[in-house]
Amino acid sequence: MTRTTNLATGNPSVNRTLLRSLALASLGLTTIAQAAGKFTPDEYKRALWMATRFYGGQRSGEGPNWLLIGQPDSLQKSFLKDSHEGKDVSGGWFDCGDHVMFGQTQYWAAYSLAKAYETFPTGYDDLYDGRTYDDYKQSGKWNDIDGGKPNGIPDLLDELVYEADYIAKAAISKDVFITLKADPDPDHKRWVTAPMMSKMSKALGGECASGGEEKYEAPDWTFKGNLTPCTGYSSRSIKADKDKAMASNAAATLAIMARILQRLGIYPERVTLYTEKAKVAYEHASSVSGTIGYTPFYSANPNQWDDFVSASAELYLLTKEQKYLDAAKANEGQVNKNHNWAFSYNNADDMAYFNLQRTAGSSTALDLLKKYADYYKGKINGEGLSEVGDAGWGTLRYPLGAAYSMALANVATASETYLPQIQQQVDFIMGANNAKIAFLVGLKTSLSTSTPRFPHHRGVFQRNDNPSDANKAQMVIPEKNQSFGALVANVGFASTGFKDNVIDYKYSEVCTDYNVGVVGALGYVISKVAPVDTSKFHGGASVARSRAKLAVERQGEAFVFRAEAGQLLTNLRIVDPQGREIWNPGVSAPEIRWVPDRPGLFLVQAGSGRRNLTTSVAVTR
């Protein structure tokens, strides 16, 4: 595959991109990157829309899980009984196409996605309401990128908030952190949706303590989706083992999400919760040494300090407490200098070095981040794919993870050095390959002639009768779920030889961590070829730019808010978690006193000079 496209070839999409960049430059605006990808900005946007919404199809708990919308109400929610020692730990993302939830991949995926949003914010648009998906239910246009309605929150954040809510539950205390939900063995033995499995017996992977067995019915005496009555439910297997890497990624996720939500001026109650729980998860990570594995599914993460360094950096950025930055710097020497693999859940050294360079100004970290990026670039083959990671299973996640890492290197160096190579990885999975396969399920592009039809994923097919392997081979994805957006695993670093076989999961499996590199790399590419206008989001551009916190002091029952030195507070307002204004003094002054008339969590917004200030307060009486 050619790495760049010569404008002299007359490629119309490339020429349009160049003309647009020149026009913007003449207006003094941000120029569009001139690196020549194989696809138009609209095609990149569609791929990212699908790859992002995929996470809404991984939801456990109350949901909603968009794949299951349209099923009977009793088959749309799953595993609501998940608990540990009486604490509710329901929710979160399923690991792959089954219903077990491994912390190794789940927490790393959440953190990496949140970091992608924070690092490439103009790459992520608001195309649908990921809180409820009611917009798609109303329009019925589940396969149309314009079928949803913006809700003022970037789609990736809608998906991440759902996961972060679960992570806050998982960080139970400094001594207890959830690392695994479900027993993988029975979970893998039934091909049914998550809500159906929830109704099944414990032996079948469900929550039914008595009953919930499969009924085999005439005339052919097969299971048709009916169960014996359940007379009592309880939680499936939940584990809280000791693992430094998992807790570190959880702490990092909650810390970065608290910062993002506060900057956008949304969900003040979550800002407070995530901040508190980030510290709990970090304290747990600090007290634990080593990692654990759940063989044969995931071996113990051989690295832990990369994740702990990143958690330390994120807590520092959230709190500005020196102890966190000191911890990040003190453990820099324990991060791998050459993992000889790819950016992934068990090799996150790239991210640690990015964070060390950004927070501690480490030149050594920057050099090592560039070393990784150069390594990935040097491994690119004739089809444009970087041959890093595992050639025997789930191969495609690795070159896409490498693309994400190269994007971090570009940001750290304030350059576009690796943009052509990043685009090559993205272009490959979008169909710019010898076999012309778009490896995102349901994606159709100008260069692809096929896309996988048999991903190894129970929810997307909506079958609840545990079909035989022969019947699985005849399954068809329902029309509503066609734009699934999951990256299939594949085997090897070539497009030819792909087996579109739901049983051969080494090729067809789709997982929460597989899509991370796709969403990260595509977000970076879009930030260069068609940047999103972030001023349309909650808070607008001014709030997004301002990270200043409003000074507040508690005086008895009152709260006193103060402006920056020599300034007045203007336009102060207090809103509740639903965004309703509950108090506005209508005055400008160096300090403003508020005596609350109700308990709750509230967001305080005000101006001071040319800056926007925010803080959250908790009223307990």
Side-chain angles (χ1 to χ4, degrees), residues 56 165 227 390:
D165 282 352
L227 304 170
D390 189 356

Side-chain angles (χ1 to χ4, degrees), residues 158-177:
D158 275 336
E159 303 297 352
L160 279 165
V161 163
Y162 190 85
E163 171 67 9
D165 282 352
Y166 161 68
I167 296 177
K169 295 179 182 180
I172 294 175
S173 71
K174 66 181 182 63
D175 300 313
V176 182
F177 179 80

Side-chain angles (χ1 to χ4, degrees), residues 293-315:
Y294 295 119
T295 55
F297 307 101
Y298 291 101
S299 58
N301 188 339
N303 304 312
Q304 55 182 310
W305 295 106
D306 49 1
D307 303 309
F308 187 69
V309 163
S310 288
S312 300
E314 299 298 349
L315 264 293

